[in-house]
Amino acid sequence: LKWSSPKEIQNTISDLHLKDSKNLDISLSYTPKLEHMVSAVEKDDNKNTIVVIATMTNNAKDHESLAKCHYLLRKAFSILQKQTPMENVIFLESPPSLRFDIFFYNRMVLNLCNQTGAKFAFNLLARPHIKSDGLHIKAGFKHLMNRSVASAIVRRDPYSLLGLWVPKRHPLPPFF
């Protein structure tokens, strides 16, 4: 979400008539890998906030083990558990890649969310929205990431919110 902003996400929430976005204080912390996210949650004050985690693609791209990613997420969740109720911690499904299969990482996170009480949120991005480099989102589809984040913040499934069918992917249940 390096290319997005809190104002863009607030505008998306407002445009989708999800909530009065003026009452939301949204901040973004750029964390390209899980290691950075753990550092951010250690430093940030997340007391009674909604925390949306949207990072893991770079860990998967670097073929880091599921065990290492699980360890880092569990560490972050442990820190967040002391700051906010776990139902306020939402992991946004990592978008697909054309270079590696993200499913096993997303499934690991879904299982961890189920074990800890955190929530798992669908992402609207699909393979056709990814650039030919296999990793980055095509410019014309970046709004889908903002919509996914906005939906997660207000605890709504983005597909049902927009009247869309969930595309066929590995079997992951809806979250909220």
Side-chain angles (χ1 to χ4, degrees):
L1 286 174
K2 185 167 63 169
W3 41 264
S4 190
S5 71
K7 187 68 177 159
E8 266 189 80
I9 294 168
Q10 280 182 312
N11 288 343
T12 301
I13 291 170
S14 182
D15 292 347
L16 293 173
H17 308 290
L18 298 175
K19 196 178 225 181
D20 181 12
S21 64
K22 290 170 186 54
N23 294 334
L24 297 174
D25 181 21
I26 297 173
S27 62
L28 296 177
S29 180
Y30 177 63
T31 57
K33 292 185 81 173
L34 292 172
E35 294 87 335
H36 304 110
M37 185 266 302
V38 170
S39 294
V41 298
E42 285 175 329
K43 293 174 190 159
D44 295 346
D45 178 13
N46 296 298
K47 294 228 183 315
N48 299 315
T49 63
I50 295 173
V51 178
V52 178
I53 300 169
T55 187
M56 189 169 57
T57 303
N58 287 332
N59 295 81
K61 175 190 76 161
D62 293 344
H63 304 289
E64 290 182 8
S65 72
L66 287 171
K68 179 180 179 183
C69 294
H70 184 271
Y71 167 78
L72 292 168
L73 279 167
R74 180 149 306 274
K75 185 174 180 180
F77 282 12
S78 176
I79 295 164
L80 289 167
Q81 219 165 13
K82 297 172 186 148
Q83 299 178 358
T84 192
M86 283 310 286
E87 62 265 12
N88 288 347
V89 177
I90 303 164
F91 192 96
L92 184 65
E93 175 186 34
S94 293
S97 170
L98 304 179
R99 292 180 31 195
F100 53 88
D101 190 356
I102 195 73
F103 166 73
F104 299 101
Y105 293 87
N106 281 328
R107 184 175 62 184
M108 177 270 298
V109 175
L110 174 65
N111 290 335
L112 185 59
C113 287
N114 288 338
Q115 291 168 11
T116 62
K119 302 297 179 189
F120 184 86
F122 276 141
N123 193 322
L124 290 167
L125 291 167
R127 293 175 67 87
H129 306 133
I130 305 300
K131 289 181 180 181
S132 60
D133 69 3
L135 292 172
H136 297 96
I137 303 166
K138 292 176 182 175
F141 297 104
K142 288 185 176 185
H143 71 281
L144 295 175
M145 184 60 130
N146 279 336
R147 287 179 178 206
S148 299
V149 171
S151 298
I153 289 171
V154 298
R155 301 168 194 246
R156 299 278 306 274
D157 170 33
Y159 288 99
S160 62
L161 181 71
L162 297 171
L164 302 171
W165 289 79
V166 178
K168 181 99 172 103
R169 45 163 76 85
H170 296 280
L172 291 175
F175 74 119
F176 295 115

